[in-house]
Amino acid sequence: MGDSEMAVFGEAASYLRKSEKERLEAQNKPFDAKNSCFVHDDKELYVKGLIVSRDGGKVTVNTDDGRTVTAKEEQINPQNPPKFDKIEDMAMLTHLNEASVLYNLKERYAAWMIYTYSGLFCVTVNPYKWLPVYNPEVVAGYRGKKRQEAPPHIFSISDNAYQFMLQDRENQSILITGESGAGKTVNTKRVIQYFATIAAIGDSGKKKEQSNSMKSQGTLEDQIIQANPLLEAFGNAKTVRNDNSSRFGKFIRIHFGTTGKLSSADIETYLLEKSRVTFQLSAERSYHIFYQILTNKKPDVVEMLLLTTNPYDYSFISQGEIAVKSIDDEEELMATDNAIDILGFSQDEKIGIYKMTGAVMHHGNMRFKQKQREEQAEPDGTEVADKIGYLMGLNSADLLKALCYPRVKVGNEFVTKGQTVQQVYNAIGALSKSVFEKLFLWMVTRINQQLDTKQPRQYFIGVLDIAGFEIFDYNSLEQLCINFTNEKLQQFFNHHMFVLEQEEYKKEGIEWEFIDFGMDLAACIELIEKPMGIFSILEEECMFPKATDTSFKNKLYDQHLGKCKNFEKPKPGKGKAEAHFSLVHYAGTVDYNISGWLDKNKDPLNETVVGLYQKSSVKLLAFLYSSYSATDGKSAAEASGKGKKKKGSSFQTVSALFRENLNKLMTNLRSTHPHFVRCLIPNETKTPGTMENHLIIHQLRCNGVLEGIRICRKGFPSRILYADFKQRYKVLNASAIPDGQFIDSKKASEKLLGSIDVDHTQYKFGHTKVFFKAGLLGTLEEMRDDKLAQLITRTQAQCRGFLMRVEFKKMVERRDAIFIIQYNVRSFMNVKHWPWMKLYFKIKPLLKSAETEKEMANMKEEFEKTKEALTKSDARRKELEEKMVVLLQEKNDLLLQVQSVRVSSKQAYFTRNYFKCNISIVQNFQFNRKERA
């Protein structure tokens, strides 16, 4: 698209693509293809430079910042020509390496072009500022455009998914991954905004029908968009890197009818971070909803929940920060409250949501003390328990008794078990996390019910927003689950890319030893999920009451250490957090700490308190725990009483539930055509326009972009149609393709490549294209540039030679003219005083006077002839005038005769004669004029 076509994007055009002027300047920029390079640097990772010399395996480079460095050959990466600067698809780079990818992203980010393609990926970098790239005219500009027809953008990915769905009649998915703060949630919102906009255009009649059938005042488009504020309030929190980080993964399915009209939507969630309800780091805070309520923007809610407006009064939510500069909690509370209404929650349900949220805050204020001379815990005051009882519809005395003296089943009997103070606090924390999680999952279910419009649905586009690969100083069970998810997603991408490549090679008839790149990750995945893998051993240990973290660690070491190359002992380091084992993932080696994994995985609840919840007078709480009996010990007892117990029916561990959800997700994704979006954090300080090289490369490795490039390099990433190849590279050896006769483009390409001095194992011929290994196209480009330079130099030499010969001829002619002038001047000076010459000078003027007399005689003769002709002409004129008078007299006489005759049949006769007479007169007159002339 040229500058004129880019005008449809309005003010966003400069943020999407380079101008034509900038592209031309880049193409004409001087460039040393053989010596320009990237060299490894400890501080900047890679810097640009120019190779000065090579000595064995050492290379001396002058860097652009004025230093001279010596590096090993493997630390040198070739640069791409300037015409590839800020390229929109990095897979098209002639030299595909880490440094080229990094600098392309860096230069585009410096120009605020935050979206870039890398093969199948769309890479986006968080700008940390508002850019006008999501305006309505941008949405309209991308509608119906193919990927190659428009600049990279999340809207382009969305529209392509929509068009593929309509054309191929196949479900689509958009996988958005990245670290916390990279912009996953924002891009997910933009995808939903795009579908809600384009799929609802133009159907006003249907829209009206649909709005009448809605259970609340919001249309389906409104409800899909309004699901975000509610989910963000209960599922997003401030982290070290991100003020509005999604602490759960979600897969949003947007369903369409056969014509592409939006029909309904549903949401699946994964891995809500429950631990944040009761614990936050000093630079983080808990879920937004707690702080929104305490702003007192809705005083009636604060009063109903028996709360104060000071977050520090509630220990569960005040362990870190309580305010975020970039978030207006008052405004967000109104948006959340409005979203609850638009999404069709009843008033009782709305009150129930607020009450459960308030009760979770109160739970952190419950206090217990140890009985004298006993380890048994007892309540230290009942005021907080009374508030919780009021909000949750419970008897506070029963609640305190259930916490301090829970009933547990031993054999076929229930016995009362004493609890220590710490055990009671642990139980309160587990219950609070459970209530919040079940409330969140119930809201998701209710949203799905509301978004199900019962309209016919044919296809869906799924949007996956999930945390990317994480490598922290301290990595626990949550990080293993997230990293395992990303390992599976990367395997899915590798396999998908492999399938596409295989189809392309098969279609083109390329002989290639196929490699399923998805198998590269199989060893790590099997280590985690297969029988006797990490999850399997963890679940086995959870079944034994006396199992400990140490016994779990020993089993892992016995089973895998030294037997599986992906399982390692952690390497001790200064300042590193304690770790118990290391896993080698595709993105790097991660050290894991297994402290508390057994408790986290079992996720035990005080079943006596759960029994109280089930009998609560608050319908919402009773409903949240109504199905708990299906997964607790009671169901096991009932099943065993019937004589048979299903495996695992006694309880479902966190890891088992996670694997079940992950398998469902992967099954969903495999049934779709996927599109991949990778979000990047440019720096840790949230500074707009600044990019930290080490951080970017780390993320590119973690999110699979470099893995995708590695796969590209294994095959034939560059491919060109035969006609295009022939036209572009014929200049390398024009004699290989005979002139004046037709030759097929494929045969011409084969002859041309066969006659060029390149490695002939680095390319293959398909049916319609020629395929190249990575780097060979760059070599051909260099050869073409050299050849063009040679041809242009020769052409310039010929042109200059011709022009100089023309100039030389003019110089010779000028010199000869000067010689002639000089000769004549000298001759004149020699004869100037010669008497005969003086006589000549005097006679020469007289010669002119003789000629004058002759001319006068000629003029007199001509005058006489002209005078005679004039006399004859005058005489002829007079004669004709006299004839004219006679004719006019005759005409008048005839008129008198006509008038004297009566009006009768003869009148016509005279009239005809009259006209004939007139005609005769005119003809006669014209004849005379001609004679006269």
Side-chain angles (χ1 to χ4, degrees):
M1 297 174 77
D3 289 353
S4 57
E5 293 169 304
M6 287 295 293
V8 298
F9 297 110
E11 61 178 324
S14 60
Y15 298 96
L16 298 174
R17 177 169 285 175
K18 291 194 298 185
S19 65
E20 289 178 349
K21 181 182 176 183
E22 194 177 350
R23 288 198 290 271
L24 285 172
E25 285 174 355
Q27 286 179 359
N28 296 324
K29 193 175 173 183
F31 177 69
D32 186 345
K34 292 181 179 176
N35 295 319
S36 296
C37 68
F38 294 105
V39 61
H40 181 79
D41 181 75
D42 292 334
K43 185 180 177 183
E44 293 293 328
L45 196 61
Y46 296 104
V47 292
K48 291 183 177 181
L50 208 62
I51 296 172
V52 178
S53 63
R54 295 178 189 267
D55 184 12
K58 299 286 184 181
V59 182
T60 304
V61 178
N62 285 341
T63 63
D64 285 2
D65 54 9
R67 293 178 293 133
T68 300
V69 297
T70 303
K72 295 178 181 176
E73 188 72 47
E74 57 268 22
Q75 293 179 316
I76 303 293
N77 290 300
Q79 278 190 45
N80 291 284
K83 65 182 175 184
F84 290 103
D85 288 352
K86 299 179 189 170
I87 194 169
E88 293 177 353
D89 188 349
M90 295 186 292
M92 301 304 293
L93 290 169
T94 53
H95 300 294
L96 206 54
N97 50 58
E98 279 188 9
S100 298
V101 170
L102 172 64
Y103 269 84
N104 192 68
L105 286 173
K106 192 167 186 173
E107 287 166 2
R108 285 181 66 82
Y109 185 61
W112 297 114
M113 298 178 198
I114 59 172
Y115 291 101
T116 310
Y117 292 134
S118 178
L120 298 180
F121 287 117
C122 176
V123 179
T124 172
V125 186
N126 193 336
Y128 290 124
K129 64 179 276 190
W130 180 86
L131 296 176
V133 293
Y134 306 110
N135 295 347
E137 62 267 22
V138 181
V139 174
Y142 276 98
R143 193 173 181 204
K145 295 273 195 325
K146 292 180 181 176
R147 175 172 151 155
Q148 61 270 22
E149 291 176 349
H153 200 287
I154 190 67
F155 289 163
S156 181
I157 298 290
S158 305
D159 193 76
N160 276 268
Y162 183 68
Q163 298 300 332
F164 287 165
M165 178 192 72
L166 294 178
Q167 292 166 15
D168 302 338
R169 303 296 178 186
E170 183 182 6
N171 295 329
Q172 307 287 311
S173 60
I174 301 174
L175 283 66
I176 303 175
T177 60
E179 293 190 13
S180 175
K184 300 185 299 296
T185 302
V186 170
N187 280 285
T188 302
K189 283 191 212 173
R190 298 305 177 190
V191 171
I192 295 168
Q193 169 203 344
Y194 190 81
F195 291 138
T197 303
I198 66 159
I201 289 174
D203 261 327
S204 56
K206 286 185 183 177
K207 217 169 180 181
K208 188 176 179 184
E209 226 175 80
Q210 173 186 308
S211 64
N212 292 335
S213 66
M214 298 307 291
K215 297 171 192 171
S216 71
Q217 73 269 29
T219 64
L220 178 60
E221 292 80 19
D222 291 336
Q223 291 180 331
I224 290 173
I225 293 169
Q226 285 299 323
N228 266 316
L230 183 59
L231 292 178
E232 284 186 12
F234 283 85
N236 286 27
K238 181 193 183 308
T239 63
V240 176
R241 286 182 171 174
N242 184 6
D243 290 346
N244 188 32
S245 173
S246 296
R247 304 318 299 159
F248 66 100
K250 56 180 177 286
F251 187 60
I252 304 171
R253 274 190 297 256
I254 302 171
H255 298 272
F256 299 88
T258 51
T259 61
K261 179 76 175 66
L262 194 66
S263 63
S264 63
D266 60 70
I267 302 169
E268 287 182 12
T269 59
Y270 307 92
L271 295 171
L272 176 70
E273 189 183 30
K274 295 188 295 182
S275 59
R276 187 170 290 271
V277 174
T278 59
F279 173 76
Q280 308 94 45
L281 296 173
S282 59
E284 301 185 347
R285 78 171 190 173
S286 191
Y287 293 103
H288 296 323
I289 186 62
F290 300 124
Y291 309 95
Q292 290 175 8
I293 291 172
L294 297 182
T295 58
N296 205 28
K297 181 70 175 176
K298 291 180 74 68
D300 54 324
V301 172
V302 174
E303 185 180 344
M304 176 180 69
L305 302 184
L306 310 175
L307 295 167
T308 66
T309 56
N310 183 3
Y312 287 109
D313 291 343
Y314 305 96
S315 60
F316 273 180
I317 65 168
S318 59
Q319 299 166 40
E321 297 184 7
I322 61 166
V324 180
K325 289 181 182 178
S326 63
I327 295 176
D328 184 341
D329 286 322
E330 290 187 4
E331 187 180 319
E332 292 300 322
L333 175 63
M334 300 312 294
T336 303
D337 192 77
N338 186 46
I340 293 173
D341 293 333
I342 289 179
L343 289 166
F345 288 87
S346 68
Q347 192 61 26
D348 286 344
E349 289 172 335
K350 185 176 180 179
I351 291 170
I353 290 170
Y354 282 130
K355 280 187 173 182
M356 293 307 104
T357 308
V360 168
M361 286 191 271
H362 283 301
H363 270 76
N365 290 354
M366 294 181 78
R367 294 293 175 263
F368 294 85
K369 60 185 179 181
Q370 187 176 330
K371 279 188 176 182
Q372 290 183 348
R373 293 184 295 277
E374 290 183 40
E375 290 186 358
Q376 175 63 44
E378 64 177 1
D380 187 5
T382 61
E383 182 184 352
V384 177
D386 291 339
K387 291 179 180 178
I388 293 171
Y390 166 75
L391 294 173
M392 301 184 82
L394 307 174
N395 183 299
S396 59
D398 291 343
L399 175 63
L400 291 172
K401 182 181 177 183
L403 287 169
C404 295
Y405 300 97
R407 300 181 69 211
V408 294
K409 192 170 186 180
V410 178
N412 291 326
E413 295 181 0
F414 284 95
V415 297
T416 302
K417 181 187 175 187
Q419 296 287 90
T420 64
V421 172
Q422 189 57 48
Q423 285 175 328
V424 172
Y425 284 143
N426 290 344
I428 289 171
L431 289 166
S432 301
K433 290 185 284 187
S434 174
V435 169
F436 190 85
E437 181 191 34
K438 286 186 178 294
L439 176 65
F440 179 80
L441 296 176
W442 170 78
M443 284 191 293
V444 171
T445 304
R446 282 289 288 106
I447 290 170
N448 287 341
Q449 290 172 0
Q450 192 63 28
L451 295 179
D452 185 7
T453 59
K454 306 303 180 187
Q455 291 188 17
R457 54 169 76 171
Q458 189 72 25
Y459 312 104
F460 72 80
I461 299 178
V463 185
L464 178 66
D465 169 7
I466 202 162
F469 204 92
E470 294 183 346
I471 305 178
F472 298 142
D473 291 334
Y474 181 91
N475 301 287
S476 190
L477 181 61
E478 292 86 356
Q479 277 69 48
L480 178 64
C481 291
I482 289 170
N483 292 346
F484 177 59
T485 302
N486 280 274
E487 197 88 29
K488 294 277 278 188
L489 290 174
Q490 186 62 37
Q491 185 186 41
F492 172 67
F493 166 77
N494 288 4
H495 179 72
H496 174 69
M497 191 168 181
F498 154 75
V499 168
L500 289 183
E501 289 288 293
Q502 185 179 20
E503 285 176 358
E504 179 77 5
Y505 295 145
K506 191 180 287 184
K507 187 173 73 175
E508 290 289 331
I510 297 292
E511 292 181 9
W512 188 55
E513 185 180 340
F514 295 119
I515 307 166
D516 187 346
F517 294 102
M519 297 307 293
D520 292 359
L521 285 72
C524 184
I525 290 171
E526 289 176 2
L527 171 63
I528 297 171
E529 73 169 350
K530 290 297 180 185
M532 294 313 293
I534 293 172
F535 279 151
S536 177
I537 293 173
L538 176 61
E539 286 161 20
E540 185 180 284
E541 285 293 285
C542 288
M543 296 171 67
F544 297 101
K546 293 187 178 180
T548 62
D549 293 339
T550 305
S551 65
F552 173 49
K553 175 188 167 185
N554 292 337
K555 274 196 175 182
L556 286 178
Y557 274 48
D558 293 342
Q559 187 66 34
H560 300 296
L561 189 61
K563 300 174 185 176
C564 179
K565 64 179 182 180
N566 290 75
F567 187 92
E568 296 178 352
K569 246 184 178 180
K571 296 173 184 175
K574 195 174 182 181
K576 281 178 70 174
E578 183 187 5
H580 298 110
F581 71 91
S582 298
L583 286 185
V584 181
H585 294 278
Y586 74 92
T589 302
V590 185
D591 297 337
Y592 292 98
N593 186 302
I594 62 171
S595 300
W597 281 26
L598 297 180
D599 287 336
K600 283 182 181 178
N601 198 42
K602 286 186 284 191
D603 200 21
L605 291 179
N606 184 321
E607 293 180 8
T608 308
V609 177
V610 170
L612 295 177
Y613 286 171
Q614 291 171 330
K615 298 171 185 175
S616 168
S617 61
V618 177
K619 292 181 181 178
L620 175 57
L621 181 61
F623 179 78
L624 293 181
Y625 285 89
S626 60
S627 60
Y628 184 79
S629 60
T631 56
D632 70 358
K634 292 178 188 175
S635 68
E638 288 166 9
S640 61
K642 291 175 184 175
K644 212 170 198 179
K645 184 172 97 170
K646 290 184 181 178
K647 184 180 176 183
S649 64
S650 58
F651 65 92
Q652 192 171 24
T653 61
V654 170
S655 60
L657 183 62
F658 159 71
R659 281 194 294 162
E660 183 183 320
N661 288 337
L662 180 57
N663 288 333
K664 285 180 186 174
L665 172 65
M666 297 312 298
T667 302
N668 273 335
L669 293 179
R670 289 189 191 102
S671 69
T672 66
H673 180 280
H675 307 262
F676 302 92
V677 179
R678 295 293 184 260
C679 304
L680 302 180
I681 301 172
N683 58 73
E684 299 278 11
T685 57
K686 302 176 186 172
T687 307
T690 302
M691 186 174 277
E692 296 173 9
N693 294 356
H694 287 275
L695 180 62
I696 289 292
I697 285 293
H698 168 73
Q699 291 175 87
L700 291 175
R701 286 173 183 150
C702 286
N703 63 26
V705 173
L706 296 181
E707 179 77 359
I709 288 171
R710 181 183 73 82
I711 294 173
C712 270
R713 294 180 68 85
K714 289 273 187 182
F716 297 91
S718 304
R719 52 206 70 174
I720 304 180
L721 291 169
Y722 286 122
D724 294 342
F725 180 81
K726 175 187 170 185
Q727 182 182 3
R728 184 167 182 81
Y729 296 105
K730 181 181 178 181
V731 69
L732 293 178
N733 187 6
S735 61
I737 303 172
D739 288 327
Q741 66 181 58
F742 172 77
I743 182 167
D744 181 60
S745 293
K746 181 178 180 181
K747 289 180 181 177
S749 301
E750 290 173 357
K751 282 189 175 185
L752 188 57
L753 274 170
S755 66
I756 299 171
D757 184 20
V758 292
D759 185 353
H760 299 296
T761 63
Q762 296 293 299
Y763 61 84
K764 295 278 186 183
F765 295 106
H767 297 312
T768 62
K769 301 172 189 170
V770 56
F771 291 73
F772 299 97
K773 286 276 190 181
L776 182 58
L777 203 58
T779 305
L780 290 176
E781 279 293 319
E782 287 176 20
M783 293 170 70
R784 181 175 179 271
D785 289 344
D786 292 342
K787 190 71 175 177
L788 286 174
Q790 185 184 3
L791 291 172
I792 289 169
T793 303
R794 285 181 182 174
T795 305
Q796 286 177 331
Q798 293 285 338
C799 293
R800 285 173 180 161
F802 173 76
L803 292 173
M804 287 311 297
R805 281 190 291 275
V806 170
E807 185 63 28
F808 178 72
K809 186 179 179 183
K810 289 179 181 178
M811 289 169 67
V812 169
E813 289 173 350
R814 283 196 295 267
R815 187 196 64 176
D816 293 345
I818 289 168
F819 285 161
I820 292 169
I821 292 168
Q822 285 177 337
Y823 174 77
N824 284 312
V825 170
R826 288 192 189 107
S827 300
F828 176 75
M829 294 305 291
N830 288 333
V831 299
K832 184 179 179 183
H833 301 291
W834 189 32
W836 288 105
M837 185 58 68
K838 289 179 180 178
L839 180 62
Y840 171 74
F841 290 155
K842 288 179 180 179
I843 292 173
K844 190 174 182 182
L846 298 175
L847 295 173
K848 283 188 178 179
S849 62
E851 289 177 359
T852 305
E853 288 178 3
K854 189 177 180 181
E855 286 176 4
M856 285 297 291
N858 290 335
M859 288 174 69
K860 281 181 181 180
E861 189 179 344
E862 286 179 8
F863 172 72
E864 291 297 333
K865 287 180 180 178
T866 305
K867 190 177 178 182
E868 186 179 347
L870 180 61
T871 304
K872 287 180 180 179
S873 175
D874 287 342
R876 181 64 177 163
R877 180 174 57 81
K878 285 179 182 178
E879 183 183 346
L880 290 172
E881 285 176 351
E882 289 173 358
K883 284 185 178 181
M884 184 69 177
V885 170
V886 173
L887 289 170
L888 284 172
Q889 186 62 42
E890 290 178 358
K891 173 189 168 186
N892 292 332
D893 292 344
L894 287 170
L895 278 172
L896 290 172
Q897 290 177 12
V898 170
Q899 288 173 1
S900 64
V901 178
R902 289 181 308 171
V903 177
S904 65
S905 61
K906 289 183 181 180
Q907 187 175 358
Y909 171 77
F910 284 112
T911 302
R912 285 196 299 273
N913 285 341
Y914 170 75
F915 283 117
K916 282 180 182 180
C917 183
N918 272 340
I919 290 166
S920 298
I921 291 167
V922 172
Q923 285 176 345
N924 192 16
F925 181 72
Q926 288 175 346
F927 173 74
N928 290 335
R929 281 187 65 185
K930 284 180 183 178
E931 277 193 354
R932 182 182 169 192

